Amino acid sequence: MRKPSQRVRAALAAVAAAVLTVAGCDTVGKGSGQRDAGAGAARASASPGPAWDTRPDSVAAVGDSITRGFDACMVLSDCPEVSWATGSDAAVDSLAVRLLGAAGAAQHSWNHAVTGSRMADLRGQMTQAALHRPELVAVMVGANDACRNSPSQMTSVASFRSEFQSAMDTLRRALPKTEVYVSSVPDLKRLWSEGRTNALGKQVWKLGICPSMLGDADTLDAAATGRRDAVQARVVEYNKVLAEVCAKDRRCRFDHNAVFDYRFGTAQLSHWDWFHPSRNGQARLAEIAYRTVTAKNP
């Protein structure tokens, strides 16, 4: 999702300072390593089919602020330690840790996601990820394509498709056999519905977080409802594109809208901006990814 401007950072810091005594933020923990032996044994005993290995030995992540753990630990800051894809935080139990164990994830996972990225940025991230020659690339991108100043500025469905296909083609030219996990774009309207119950969250939203969906959070007139419905419809179209492009690649797995369908509650939202995932939310994303990657028949 989009990274706020310097002006927004300064204003939000002032708001956050006023609530530090009640909001708080847990310290970031380290992975316990308890999964190391089990993960290794599982890899040794697995009998993968010709097109998909349920126990890849290395993971690279690409995408936007969600995969960077933005606002999960500190106001307006990335926190890759809690990333659903490659983080080391034991409370999250990231996809990489679940697959490789804590020690394996530390050595054989890489996070090339960038806060603020849109689909147009994915090809460059794929190029970077390919340099590690990972056995699995985890993708979560698209929220920023819908989170614009107005619905008219959202990435068109045609451009979204061509940019995603270009990113996949770039990876395939470098790594024909690498597996790809593709997350659906979250339900932004659901996040608005949940986050708007928090007064601090709505003040933060006024500083410019996803205005196409979160702007005028309490306004329920026809214009505001139509604007949110337009964003929601575009996200649904984006997820259709992700599913269709991924389906053409025998080493690509889409989550079948599992992230979009997940009913995020306030416990899963950052208590800084009430929009990005909290540690709890990151853990839920890790669970969904792990189920999809390790399923024999997804």
PDB file of all heavy atoms in Angstrom, residues 1-2 62-70 72 78-80 82-85 111 113-116 140-144 183-186 188 191 259 264 275-278 281-282 285:
ATOM      1  N   MET A   1       0.826  -1.179   0.000  1.00  0.00           N
ATOM      2  CA  MET A   1       0.000   0.000   0.000  1.00  0.00           C
ATOM      3  C   MET A   1       0.875   1.248   0.000  1.00  0.00           C
ATOM      4  O   MET A   1       2.041   1.193   0.331  1.00  0.00           O
ATOM      5  CB  MET A   1      -0.919  -0.007   1.219  1.00  0.00           C
ATOM      6  CG  MET A   1      -1.864  -1.210   1.197  1.00  0.00           C
ATOM      7  SD  MET A   1      -2.971  -1.258   2.596  1.00  0.00           S
ATOM      8  CE  MET A   1      -3.652  -2.895   2.372  1.00  0.00           C
ATOM      9  N   ARG A   2       0.293   2.386  -0.301  1.00  0.00           N
ATOM     10  CA  ARG A   2       1.079   3.578  -0.551  1.00  0.00           C
ATOM     11  C   ARG A   2       1.741   4.107   0.700  1.00  0.00           C
ATOM     12  O   ARG A   2       1.184   4.142   1.766  1.00  0.00           O
ATOM     13  CB  ARG A   2       0.194   4.676  -1.142  1.00  0.00           C
ATOM     14  CG  ARG A   2       0.986   5.898  -1.566  1.00  0.00           C
ATOM     15  CD  ARG A   2       0.109   6.885  -2.282  1.00  0.00           C
ATOM     16  NE  ARG A   2      -0.948   7.383  -1.420  1.00  0.00           N
ATOM     17  CZ  ARG A   2      -1.887   8.219  -1.843  1.00  0.00           C
ATOM     18  NH1 ARG A   2      -1.915   8.602  -3.100  1.00  0.00           N
ATOM     19  NH2 ARG A   2      -2.821   8.640  -1.017  1.00  0.00           N
ATOM     20  N   VAL A  62       8.075 -10.806  -3.143  1.00  0.00           N
ATOM     21  CA  VAL A  62       7.953  -9.554  -3.891  1.00  0.00           C
ATOM     22  C   VAL A  62       6.577  -8.964  -3.605  1.00  0.00           C
ATOM     23  O   VAL A  62       5.639  -9.679  -3.269  1.00  0.00           O
ATOM     24  CB  VAL A  62       8.146  -9.776  -5.403  1.00  0.00           C
ATOM     25  CG1 VAL A  62       9.573 -10.198  -5.718  1.00  0.00           C
ATOM     26  CG2 VAL A  62       7.164 -10.825  -5.940  1.00  0.00           C
ATOM     27  N   GLY A  63       6.459  -7.645  -3.753  1.00  0.00           N
ATOM     28  CA  GLY A  63       5.163  -7.024  -3.517  1.00  0.00           C
ATOM     29  C   GLY A  63       5.277  -5.636  -2.933  1.00  0.00           C
ATOM     30  O   GLY A  63       6.179  -4.877  -3.275  1.00  0.00           O
ATOM     31  N   ASP A  64       4.351  -5.313  -2.003  1.00  0.00           N
ATOM     32  CA  ASP A  64       4.242  -3.942  -1.499  1.00  0.00           C
ATOM     33  C   ASP A  64       4.391  -3.898   0.013  1.00  0.00           C
ATOM     34  O   ASP A  64       5.035  -4.762   0.620  1.00  0.00           O
ATOM     35  CB  ASP A  64       2.929  -3.313  -1.972  1.00  0.00           C
ATOM     36  CG  ASP A  64       1.693  -4.122  -1.566  1.00  0.00           C
ATOM     37  OD1 ASP A  64       1.756  -4.843  -0.548  1.00  0.00           O
ATOM     38  OD2 ASP A  64       0.658  -4.034  -2.257  1.00  0.00           O
ATOM     39  N   SER A  65       3.775  -2.900   0.645  1.00  0.00           N
ATOM     40  CA  SER A  65       3.978  -2.649   2.072  1.00  0.00           C
ATOM     41  C   SER A  65       3.486  -3.783   2.961  1.00  0.00           C
ATOM     42  O   SER A  65       4.016  -3.978   4.057  1.00  0.00           O
ATOM     43  CB  SER A  65       3.280  -1.349   2.472  1.00  0.00           C
ATOM     44  OG  SER A  65       1.897  -1.406   2.164  1.00  0.00           O
ATOM     45  N   ILE A  66       2.483  -4.535   2.517  1.00  0.00           N
ATOM     46  CA  ILE A  66       2.008  -5.640   3.345  1.00  0.00           C
ATOM     47  C   ILE A  66       3.130  -6.645   3.559  1.00  0.00           C
ATOM     48  O   ILE A  66       3.361  -7.119   4.671  1.00  0.00           O
ATOM     49  CB  ILE A  66       0.776  -6.308   2.706  1.00  0.00           C
ATOM     50  CG1 ILE A  66      -0.387  -5.329   2.625  1.00  0.00           C
ATOM     51  CG2 ILE A  66       0.369  -7.557   3.501  1.00  0.00           C
ATOM     52  CD1 ILE A  66      -1.635  -5.890   1.973  1.00  0.00           C
ATOM     53  N   THR A  67       3.857  -6.963   2.512  1.00  0.00           N
ATOM     54  CA  THR A  67       4.946  -7.926   2.600  1.00  0.00           C
ATOM     55  C   THR A  67       6.167  -7.343   3.306  1.00  0.00           C
ATOM     56  O   THR A  67       7.042  -8.086   3.758  1.00  0.00           O
ATOM     57  CB  THR A  67       5.300  -8.446   1.192  1.00  0.00           C
ATOM     58  OG1 THR A  67       4.120  -9.017   0.615  1.00  0.00           O
ATOM     59  CG2 THR A  67       6.382  -9.494   1.224  1.00  0.00           C
ATOM     60  N   ARG A  68       6.227  -6.025   3.441  1.00  0.00           N
ATOM     61  CA  ARG A  68       7.286  -5.379   4.221  1.00  0.00           C
ATOM     62  C   ARG A  68       6.901  -5.224   5.690  1.00  0.00           C
ATOM     63  O   ARG A  68       7.688  -4.727   6.488  1.00  0.00           O
ATOM     64  CB  ARG A  68       7.602  -3.999   3.645  1.00  0.00           C
ATOM     65  CG  ARG A  68       8.237  -4.020   2.278  1.00  0.00           C
ATOM     66  CD  ARG A  68       9.560  -4.737   2.252  1.00  0.00           C
ATOM     67  NE  ARG A  68      10.566  -4.112   3.106  1.00  0.00           N
ATOM     68  CZ  ARG A  68      11.785  -4.624   3.305  1.00  0.00           C
ATOM     69  NH1 ARG A  68      12.125  -5.771   2.741  1.00  0.00           N
ATOM     70  NH2 ARG A  68      12.651  -4.003   4.071  1.00  0.00           N
ATOM     71  N   GLY A  69       5.707  -5.636   6.080  1.00  0.00           N
ATOM     72  CA  GLY A  69       5.281  -5.509   7.469  1.00  0.00           C
ATOM     73  C   GLY A  69       5.051  -4.071   7.894  1.00  0.00           C
ATOM     74  O   GLY A  69       5.183  -3.724   9.071  1.00  0.00           O
ATOM     75  N   PHE A  70       4.661  -3.220   6.948  1.00  0.00           N
ATOM     76  CA  PHE A  70       4.507  -1.791   7.218  1.00  0.00           C
ATOM     77  C   PHE A  70       3.475  -1.534   8.315  1.00  0.00           C
ATOM     78  O   PHE A  70       2.392  -2.102   8.324  1.00  0.00           O
ATOM     79  CB  PHE A  70       4.078  -1.077   5.932  1.00  0.00           C
ATOM     80  CG  PHE A  70       4.013   0.425   6.041  1.00  0.00           C
ATOM     81  CD1 PHE A  70       5.173   1.184   6.006  1.00  0.00           C
ATOM     82  CD2 PHE A  70       2.795   1.063   6.171  1.00  0.00           C
ATOM     83  CE1 PHE A  70       5.111   2.566   6.096  1.00  0.00           C
ATOM     84  CE2 PHE A  70       2.716   2.445   6.259  1.00  0.00           C
ATOM     85  CZ  PHE A  70       3.887   3.205   6.236  1.00  0.00           C
ATOM     86  N   ALA A  72       3.276  -2.511  11.266  1.00  0.00           N
ATOM     87  CA  ALA A  72       2.971  -3.604  12.186  1.00  0.00           C
ATOM     88  C   ALA A  72       3.711  -3.476  13.511  1.00  0.00           C
ATOM     89  O   ALA A  72       3.268  -4.027  14.525  1.00  0.00           O
ATOM     90  CB  ALA A  72       3.304  -4.947  11.549  1.00  0.00           C
ATOM     91  N   ASP A  78       8.514   0.274   7.922  1.00  0.00           N
ATOM     92  CA  ASP A  78       8.537  -1.134   7.540  1.00  0.00           C
ATOM     93  C   ASP A  78       9.011  -1.963   8.725  1.00  0.00           C
ATOM     94  O   ASP A  78       9.821  -1.506   9.547  1.00  0.00           O
ATOM     95  CB  ASP A  78       9.500  -1.359   6.369  1.00  0.00           C
ATOM     96  CG  ASP A  78       8.980  -0.808   5.058  1.00  0.00           C
ATOM     97  OD1 ASP A  78       7.784  -0.465   4.973  1.00  0.00           O
ATOM     98  OD2 ASP A  78       9.783  -0.712   4.110  1.00  0.00           O
ATOM     99  N   CYS A  79       8.544  -3.187   8.802  1.00  0.00           N
ATOM    100  CA  CYS A  79       8.990  -4.127   9.839  1.00  0.00           C
ATOM    101  C   CYS A  79       9.076  -5.509   9.209  1.00  0.00           C
ATOM    102  O   CYS A  79       8.230  -6.373   9.446  1.00  0.00           O
ATOM    103  CB  CYS A  79       8.020  -4.129  11.016  1.00  0.00           C
ATOM    104  SG  CYS A  79       8.607  -5.060  12.450  1.00  0.00           S
ATOM    105  N   PRO A  80      10.097  -5.734   8.349  1.00  0.00           N
ATOM    106  CA  PRO A  80      10.175  -7.007   7.621  1.00  0.00           C
ATOM    107  C   PRO A  80      10.306  -8.224   8.525  1.00  0.00           C
ATOM    108  O   PRO A  80      10.034  -9.337   8.082  1.00  0.00           O
ATOM    109  CB  PRO A  80      11.404  -6.822   6.730  1.00  0.00           C
ATOM    110  CG  PRO A  80      12.189  -5.708   7.354  1.00  0.00           C
ATOM    111  CD  PRO A  80      11.184  -4.814   7.982  1.00  0.00           C
ATOM    112  N   VAL A  82       8.330  -9.103  10.669  1.00  0.00           N
ATOM    113  CA  VAL A  82       7.011  -9.708  10.862  1.00  0.00           C
ATOM    114  C   VAL A  82       6.311  -9.989   9.534  1.00  0.00           C
ATOM    115  O   VAL A  82       5.109 -10.273   9.515  1.00  0.00           O
ATOM    116  CB  VAL A  82       6.112  -8.822  11.762  1.00  0.00           C
ATOM    117  CG1 VAL A  82       6.778  -8.584  13.105  1.00  0.00           C
ATOM    118  CG2 VAL A  82       5.762  -7.498  11.097  1.00  0.00           C
ATOM    119  N   SER A  83       7.028  -9.931   8.443  1.00  0.00           N
ATOM    120  CA  SER A  83       6.436 -10.218   7.138  1.00  0.00           C
ATOM    121  C   SER A  83       5.860 -11.626   7.089  1.00  0.00           C
ATOM    122  O   SER A  83       6.502 -12.595   7.512  1.00  0.00           O
ATOM    123  CB  SER A  83       7.492 -10.070   6.040  1.00  0.00           C
ATOM    124  OG  SER A  83       7.026 -10.593   4.814  1.00  0.00           O
ATOM    125  N   TRP A  84       4.659 -11.733   6.554  1.00  0.00           N
ATOM    126  CA  TRP A  84       4.017 -13.047   6.371  1.00  0.00           C
ATOM    127  C   TRP A  84       4.856 -13.976   5.513  1.00  0.00           C
ATOM    128  O   TRP A  84       4.791 -15.195   5.665  1.00  0.00           O
ATOM    129  CB  TRP A  84       2.647 -12.880   5.715  1.00  0.00           C
ATOM    130  CG  TRP A  84       2.729 -12.339   4.309  1.00  0.00           C
ATOM    131  CD1 TRP A  84       2.747 -11.032   3.926  1.00  0.00           C
ATOM    132  CD2 TRP A  84       2.841 -13.111   3.104  1.00  0.00           C
ATOM    133  NE1 TRP A  84       2.851 -10.928   2.551  1.00  0.00           N
ATOM    134  CE2 TRP A  84       2.908 -12.185   2.027  1.00  0.00           C
ATOM    135  CE3 TRP A  84       2.870 -14.482   2.828  1.00  0.00           C
ATOM    136  CZ2 TRP A  84       3.024 -12.594   0.692  1.00  0.00           C
ATOM    137  CZ3 TRP A  84       2.981 -14.886   1.507  1.00  0.00           C
ATOM    138  CH2 TRP A  84       3.052 -13.954   0.456  1.00  0.00           C
ATOM    139  N   ALA A  85       5.659 -13.417   4.625  1.00  0.00           N
ATOM    140  CA  ALA A  85       6.380 -14.233   3.641  1.00  0.00           C
ATOM    141  C   ALA A  85       7.733 -14.703   4.144  1.00  0.00           C
ATOM    142  O   ALA A  85       8.070 -15.891   4.026  1.00  0.00           O
ATOM    143  CB  ALA A  85       6.555 -13.441   2.347  1.00  0.00           C
ATOM    144  N   ASN A 111      13.534 -10.790   0.875  1.00  0.00           N
ATOM    145  CA  ASN A 111      12.352  -9.962   0.737  1.00  0.00           C
ATOM    146  C   ASN A 111      12.669  -8.760  -0.142  1.00  0.00           C
ATOM    147  O   ASN A 111      13.386  -7.847   0.268  1.00  0.00           O
ATOM    148  CB  ASN A 111      11.881  -9.495   2.121  1.00  0.00           C
ATOM    149  CG  ASN A 111      10.498  -8.873   2.085  1.00  0.00           C
ATOM    150  OD1 ASN A 111      10.123  -8.234   1.118  1.00  0.00           O
ATOM    151  ND2 ASN A 111       9.740  -9.049   3.158  1.00  0.00           N
ATOM    152  N   ALA A 113      10.132  -6.960  -1.625  1.00  0.00           N
ATOM    153  CA  ALA A 113       8.952  -6.100  -1.680  1.00  0.00           C
ATOM    154  C   ALA A 113       9.347  -4.671  -1.310  1.00  0.00           C
ATOM    155  O   ALA A 113      10.304  -4.451  -0.572  1.00  0.00           O
ATOM    156  CB  ALA A 113       7.877  -6.610  -0.725  1.00  0.00           C
ATOM    157  N   VAL A 114       8.600  -3.703  -1.827  1.00  0.00           N
ATOM    158  CA  VAL A 114       8.877  -2.288  -1.566  1.00  0.00           C
ATOM    159  C   VAL A 114       7.566  -1.585  -1.233  1.00  0.00           C
ATOM    160  O   VAL A 114       6.600  -1.671  -2.003  1.00  0.00           O
ATOM    161  CB  VAL A 114       9.549  -1.608  -2.777  1.00  0.00           C
ATOM    162  CG1 VAL A 114       9.772  -0.119  -2.495  1.00  0.00           C
ATOM    163  CG2 VAL A 114      10.872  -2.287  -3.125  1.00  0.00           C
ATOM    164  N   THR A 115       7.545  -0.898  -0.101  1.00  0.00           N
ATOM    165  CA  THR A 115       6.350  -0.156   0.290  1.00  0.00           C
ATOM    166  C   THR A 115       5.978   0.863  -0.787  1.00  0.00           C
ATOM    167  O   THR A 115       6.828   1.605  -1.272  1.00  0.00           O
ATOM    168  CB  THR A 115       6.593   0.550   1.631  1.00  0.00           C
ATOM    169  OG1 THR A 115       6.714  -0.448   2.650  1.00  0.00           O
ATOM    170  CG2 THR A 115       5.459   1.494   1.985  1.00  0.00           C
ATOM    171  N   GLY A 116       4.719   0.890  -1.153  1.00  0.00           N
ATOM    172  CA  GLY A 116       4.237   1.804  -2.182  1.00  0.00           C
ATOM    173  C   GLY A 116       4.188   1.222  -3.579  1.00  0.00           C
ATOM    174  O   GLY A 116       3.700   1.870  -4.508  1.00  0.00           O
ATOM    175  N   MET A 140       2.542 -10.767  -3.490  1.00  0.00           N
ATOM    176  CA  MET A 140       1.331 -10.090  -3.024  1.00  0.00           C
ATOM    177  C   MET A 140       1.421  -8.632  -3.461  1.00  0.00           C
ATOM    178  O   MET A 140       2.212  -7.854  -2.921  1.00  0.00           O
ATOM    179  CB  MET A 140       1.160 -10.165  -1.507  1.00  0.00           C
ATOM    180  CG  MET A 140      -0.133  -9.474  -1.035  1.00  0.00           C
ATOM    181  SD  MET A 140      -0.362  -9.479   0.766  1.00  0.00           S
ATOM    182  CE  MET A 140      -0.768 -11.201   1.022  1.00  0.00           C
ATOM    183  N   VAL A 141       0.618  -8.259  -4.443  1.00  0.00           N
ATOM    184  CA  VAL A 141       0.659  -6.905  -4.980  1.00  0.00           C
ATOM    185  C   VAL A 141      -0.690  -6.585  -5.604  1.00  0.00           C
ATOM    186  O   VAL A 141      -1.417  -7.501  -6.003  1.00  0.00           O
ATOM    187  CB  VAL A 141       1.803  -6.776  -6.020  1.00  0.00           C
ATOM    188  CG1 VAL A 141       1.499  -7.584  -7.275  1.00  0.00           C
ATOM    189  CG2 VAL A 141       2.104  -5.332  -6.351  1.00  0.00           C
ATOM    190  N   GLY A 142      -1.035  -5.319  -5.656  1.00  0.00           N
ATOM    191  CA  GLY A 142      -2.282  -4.913  -6.299  1.00  0.00           C
ATOM    192  C   GLY A 142      -3.094  -3.924  -5.490  1.00  0.00           C
ATOM    193  O   GLY A 142      -3.898  -3.175  -6.052  1.00  0.00           O
ATOM    194  N   ALA A 143      -2.897  -3.885  -4.170  1.00  0.00           N
ATOM    195  CA  ALA A 143      -3.682  -2.963  -3.346  1.00  0.00           C
ATOM    196  C   ALA A 143      -3.422  -1.515  -3.739  1.00  0.00           C
ATOM    197  O   ALA A 143      -4.349  -0.698  -3.798  1.00  0.00           O
ATOM    198  CB  ALA A 143      -3.363  -3.178  -1.866  1.00  0.00           C
ATOM    199  N   ASN A 144      -2.158  -1.186  -4.024  1.00  0.00           N
ATOM    200  CA  ASN A 144      -1.837   0.198  -4.394  1.00  0.00           C
ATOM    201  C   ASN A 144      -2.398   0.591  -5.755  1.00  0.00           C
ATOM    202  O   ASN A 144      -2.563   1.777  -6.041  1.00  0.00           O
ATOM    203  CB  ASN A 144      -0.325   0.419  -4.383  1.00  0.00           C
ATOM    204  CG  ASN A 144       0.222   0.495  -2.970  1.00  0.00           C
ATOM    205  OD1 ASN A 144      -0.399   1.045  -2.080  1.00  0.00           O
ATOM    206  ND2 ASN A 144       1.394  -0.081  -2.768  1.00  0.00           N
ATOM    207  N   SER A 183      -0.843 -14.353  -4.012  1.00  0.00           N
ATOM    208  CA  SER A 183      -1.924 -13.998  -3.096  1.00  0.00           C
ATOM    209  C   SER A 183      -2.930 -13.106  -3.793  1.00  0.00           C
ATOM    210  O   SER A 183      -2.574 -12.259  -4.615  1.00  0.00           O
ATOM    211  CB  SER A 183      -1.355 -13.261  -1.882  1.00  0.00           C
ATOM    212  OG  SER A 183      -2.382 -12.630  -1.137  1.00  0.00           O
ATOM    213  N   SER A 184      -4.188 -13.275  -3.454  1.00  0.00           N
ATOM    214  CA  SER A 184      -5.205 -12.342  -3.922  1.00  0.00           C
ATOM    215  C   SER A 184      -5.037 -11.002  -3.213  1.00  0.00           C
ATOM    216  O   SER A 184      -4.421 -10.904  -2.152  1.00  0.00           O
ATOM    217  CB  SER A 184      -6.605 -12.908  -3.675  1.00  0.00           C
ATOM    218  OG  SER A 184      -6.761 -13.335  -2.337  1.00  0.00           O
ATOM    219  N   VAL A 185      -5.580  -9.945  -3.831  1.00  0.00           N
ATOM    220  CA  VAL A 185      -5.577  -8.621  -3.220  1.00  0.00           C
ATOM    221  C   VAL A 185      -6.612  -8.625  -2.095  1.00  0.00           C
ATOM    222  O   VAL A 185      -7.726  -9.121  -2.272  1.00  0.00           O
ATOM    223  CB  VAL A 185      -5.939  -7.540  -4.261  1.00  0.00           C
ATOM    224  CG1 VAL A 185      -5.912  -6.150  -3.622  1.00  0.00           C
ATOM    225  CG2 VAL A 185      -4.976  -7.614  -5.449  1.00  0.00           C
ATOM    226  N   PRO A 186      -6.269  -8.094  -0.922  1.00  0.00           N
ATOM    227  CA  PRO A 186      -7.238  -8.098   0.185  1.00  0.00           C
ATOM    228  C   PRO A 186      -8.504  -7.314  -0.150  1.00  0.00           C
ATOM    229  O   PRO A 186      -8.522  -6.459  -1.037  1.00  0.00           O
ATOM    230  CB  PRO A 186      -6.461  -7.417   1.321  1.00  0.00           C
ATOM    231  CG  PRO A 186      -5.023  -7.583   0.972  1.00  0.00           C
ATOM    232  CD  PRO A 186      -4.965  -7.542  -0.528  1.00  0.00           C
ATOM    233  N   LEU A 188     -10.426  -4.501   0.352  1.00  0.00           N
ATOM    234  CA  LEU A 188     -10.214  -3.169   0.901  1.00  0.00           C
ATOM    235  C   LEU A 188     -11.478  -2.602   1.544  1.00  0.00           C
ATOM    236  O   LEU A 188     -11.403  -1.839   2.518  1.00  0.00           O
ATOM    237  CB  LEU A 188      -9.710  -2.223  -0.195  1.00  0.00           C
ATOM    238  CG  LEU A 188      -8.429  -2.647  -0.908  1.00  0.00           C
ATOM    239  CD1 LEU A 188      -8.022  -1.596  -1.925  1.00  0.00           C
ATOM    240  CD2 LEU A 188      -7.312  -2.911   0.088  1.00  0.00           C
ATOM    241  N   LEU A 191     -11.656  -3.837   5.023  1.00  0.00           N
ATOM    242  CA  LEU A 191     -10.739  -3.121   5.895  1.00  0.00           C
ATOM    243  C   LEU A 191     -11.318  -1.767   6.297  1.00  0.00           C
ATOM    244  O   LEU A 191     -11.179  -1.327   7.441  1.00  0.00           O
ATOM    245  CB  LEU A 191      -9.380  -2.951   5.210  1.00  0.00           C
ATOM    246  CG  LEU A 191      -8.677  -4.255   4.803  1.00  0.00           C
ATOM    247  CD1 LEU A 191      -7.323  -3.955   4.178  1.00  0.00           C
ATOM    248  CD2 LEU A 191      -8.527  -5.191   5.995  1.00  0.00           C
ATOM    249  N   VAL A 259      -7.182 -14.832   0.585  1.00  0.00           N
ATOM    250  CA  VAL A 259      -6.864 -13.593   1.294  1.00  0.00           C
ATOM    251  C   VAL A 259      -8.006 -12.593   1.136  1.00  0.00           C
ATOM    252  O   VAL A 259      -8.415 -11.933   2.096  1.00  0.00           O
ATOM    253  CB  VAL A 259      -5.531 -12.997   0.801  1.00  0.00           C
ATOM    254  CG1 VAL A 259      -5.332 -11.570   1.318  1.00  0.00           C
ATOM    255  CG2 VAL A 259      -4.369 -13.875   1.252  1.00  0.00           C
ATOM    256  N   PHE A 264     -10.879 -10.107   7.927  1.00  0.00           N
ATOM    257  CA  PHE A 264     -10.008  -9.386   8.843  1.00  0.00           C
ATOM    258  C   PHE A 264     -10.852  -8.643   9.880  1.00  0.00           C
ATOM    259  O   PHE A 264     -11.798  -7.922   9.539  1.00  0.00           O
ATOM    260  CB  PHE A 264      -9.146  -8.374   8.086  1.00  0.00           C
ATOM    261  CG  PHE A 264      -7.996  -8.981   7.346  1.00  0.00           C
ATOM    262  CD1 PHE A 264      -8.151  -9.435   6.041  1.00  0.00           C
ATOM    263  CD2 PHE A 264      -6.757  -9.109   7.945  1.00  0.00           C
ATOM    264  CE1 PHE A 264      -7.099 -10.000   5.352  1.00  0.00           C
ATOM    265  CE2 PHE A 264      -5.688  -9.670   7.270  1.00  0.00           C
ATOM    266  CZ  PHE A 264      -5.862 -10.120   5.966  1.00  0.00           C
ATOM    267  N   PHE A 275      -5.390  -0.345   9.053  1.00  0.00           N
ATOM    268  CA  PHE A 275      -5.588  -0.705   7.648  1.00  0.00           C
ATOM    269  C   PHE A 275      -4.611  -1.797   7.224  1.00  0.00           C
ATOM    270  O   PHE A 275      -5.014  -2.800   6.656  1.00  0.00           O
ATOM    271  CB  PHE A 275      -5.422   0.537   6.774  1.00  0.00           C
ATOM    272  CG  PHE A 275      -5.750   0.313   5.316  1.00  0.00           C
ATOM    273  CD1 PHE A 275      -7.028  -0.060   4.932  1.00  0.00           C
ATOM    274  CD2 PHE A 275      -4.786   0.492   4.339  1.00  0.00           C
ATOM    275  CE1 PHE A 275      -7.345  -0.261   3.591  1.00  0.00           C
ATOM    276  CE2 PHE A 275      -5.082   0.295   3.000  1.00  0.00           C
ATOM    277  CZ  PHE A 275      -6.362  -0.081   2.627  1.00  0.00           C
ATOM    278  N   HIS A 276      -3.324  -1.595   7.492  1.00  0.00           N
ATOM    279  CA  HIS A 276      -2.334  -2.632   7.202  1.00  0.00           C
ATOM    280  C   HIS A 276      -2.451  -3.765   8.229  1.00  0.00           C
ATOM    281  O   HIS A 276      -2.965  -3.556   9.329  1.00  0.00           O
ATOM    282  CB  HIS A 276      -0.921  -2.047   7.246  1.00  0.00           C
ATOM    283  CG  HIS A 276      -0.583  -1.182   6.077  1.00  0.00           C
ATOM    284  ND1 HIS A 276      -0.906   0.159   6.033  1.00  0.00           N
ATOM    285  CD2 HIS A 276       0.051  -1.456   4.915  1.00  0.00           C
ATOM    286  CE1 HIS A 276      -0.489   0.671   4.892  1.00  0.00           C
ATOM    287  NE2 HIS A 276       0.088  -0.287   4.194  1.00  0.00           N
ATOM    288  N   PRO A 277      -1.962  -4.958   7.910  1.00  0.00           N
ATOM    289  CA  PRO A 277      -2.047  -6.067   8.867  1.00  0.00           C
ATOM    290  C   PRO A 277      -1.170  -5.842  10.100  1.00  0.00           C
ATOM    291  O   PRO A 277      -0.049  -5.328  10.002  1.00  0.00           O
ATOM    292  CB  PRO A 277      -1.550  -7.276   8.063  1.00  0.00           C
ATOM    293  CG  PRO A 277      -1.707  -6.889   6.636  1.00  0.00           C
ATOM    294  CD  PRO A 277      -1.463  -5.409   6.596  1.00  0.00           C
ATOM    295  N   SER A 278      -1.680  -6.258  11.239  1.00  0.00           N
ATOM    296  CA  SER A 278      -0.895  -6.327  12.467  1.00  0.00           C
ATOM    297  C   SER A 278      -0.071  -7.617  12.441  1.00  0.00           C
ATOM    298  O   SER A 278      -0.124  -8.381  11.462  1.00  0.00           O
ATOM    299  CB  SER A 278      -1.838  -6.354  13.669  1.00  0.00           C
ATOM    300  OG  SER A 278      -2.657  -7.527  13.605  1.00  0.00           O
ATOM    301  N   GLY A 281      -2.502 -10.256  11.905  1.00  0.00           N
ATOM    302  CA  GLY A 281      -2.913 -10.314  10.505  1.00  0.00           C
ATOM    303  C   GLY A 281      -1.849 -10.927   9.623  1.00  0.00           C
ATOM    304  O   GLY A 281      -2.153 -11.714   8.706  1.00  0.00           O
ATOM    305  N   GLN A 282      -0.592 -10.589   9.879  1.00  0.00           N
ATOM    306  CA  GLN A 282       0.509 -11.186   9.114  1.00  0.00           C
ATOM    307  C   GLN A 282       0.548 -12.704   9.312  1.00  0.00           C
ATOM    308  O   GLN A 282       0.792 -13.464   8.366  1.00  0.00           O
ATOM    309  CB  GLN A 282       1.845 -10.566   9.540  1.00  0.00           C
ATOM    310  CG  GLN A 282       2.032  -9.109   9.162  1.00  0.00           C
ATOM    311  CD  GLN A 282       2.417  -8.912   7.697  1.00  0.00           C
ATOM    312  OE1 GLN A 282       2.774  -9.860   6.988  1.00  0.00           O
ATOM    313  NE2 GLN A 282       2.357  -7.676   7.245  1.00  0.00           N
ATOM    314  N   LEU A 285      -2.036 -14.308   7.134  1.00  0.00           N
ATOM    315  CA  LEU A 285      -1.586 -14.362   5.738  1.00  0.00           C
ATOM    316  C   LEU A 285      -0.586 -15.495   5.542  1.00  0.00           C
ATOM    317  O   LEU A 285      -0.597 -16.180   4.506  1.00  0.00           O
ATOM    318  CB  LEU A 285      -0.949 -13.031   5.348  1.00  0.00           C
ATOM    319  CG  LEU A 285      -1.873 -11.810   5.331  1.00  0.00           C
ATOM    320  CD1 LEU A 285      -1.073 -10.542   5.045  1.00  0.00           C
ATOM    321  CD2 LEU A 285      -2.986 -11.977   4.301  1.00  0.00           C
TER     322      LEU A 285
END
